[in-house]
Amino acid sequence: MSKLVEEFNDYRSKMNEKLLADNNKIVKRIFNLDTNAYAEGTLDVKTKELLGLVASTVLRCDDCIKYHLETSYKEGITKEEMMEAMGIATLVGGTIVIPHLRRAYEFWEALEDLKI
């Protein structure tokens, strides 16, 4: 299962490098804003990552869900905390997000297998 995480991270890194190398000022500023938005502030990083996870699930963005799952995992969020957040996302997003919930659960298990 760790292959799932590695493939996602490899592709994301490769494409981010290409996008940033294109030297588009708007894209660079959006990437920078995204990075800074999730930094420690009045809300801690864990809370911000869970907010990002819920929003990404409701918006049905699998890449965003994977990114926030991995960051949450690295920040020490437990499986129980992640699943409670995903429960809220499913409630807000409706049954249409259940396929994303399934893939999120699978990705979380892959993160656990890696023990990162």
Side-chain angles (χ1 to χ4, degrees), residues 67-85:
Y67 173 80
H68 289 293
L69 283 171
E70 185 168 358
T71 306
S72 295
Y73 184 82
K74 288 178 179 177
E75 285 294 321
I77 289 171
T78 66
K79 187 176 194 174
E80 292 76 19
E81 291 169 320
M82 178 274 296
M83 283 303 296
E84 190 166 333

Side-chain angles (χ1 to χ4, degrees), residues 7-21:
E7 286 176 354
F8 171 73
N9 286 329
D10 289 347
Y11 176 77
R12 185 175 180 277
S13 293
K14 179 180 85 173
M15 293 312 298
N16 282 353
E17 284 178 29
K18 287 184 177 194
L19 289 168
L20 293 171

Side-chain angles (χ1 to χ4, degrees), residues 48-100:
K48 288 182 176 187
E49 285 302 326
L50 287 174
L51 289 169
L53 178 61
V54 169
S56 298
T57 304
V58 171
L59 291 169
R60 302 186 306 259
C61 177
D62 281 331
D63 279 9
C64 300
I65 293 167
K66 288 175 182 174
Y67 173 80
H68 289 293
L69 283 171
E70 185 168 358
T71 306
S72 295
Y73 184 82
K74 288 178 179 177
E75 285 294 321
I77 289 171
T78 66
K79 187 176 194 174
E80 292 76 19
E81 291 169 320
M82 178 274 296
M83 283 303 296
E84 190 166 333
M86 292 300 284
I88 297 297
T90 305
L91 172 67
V92 172
T95 56
I96 196 166
V97 304
I98 291 174
H100 302 276

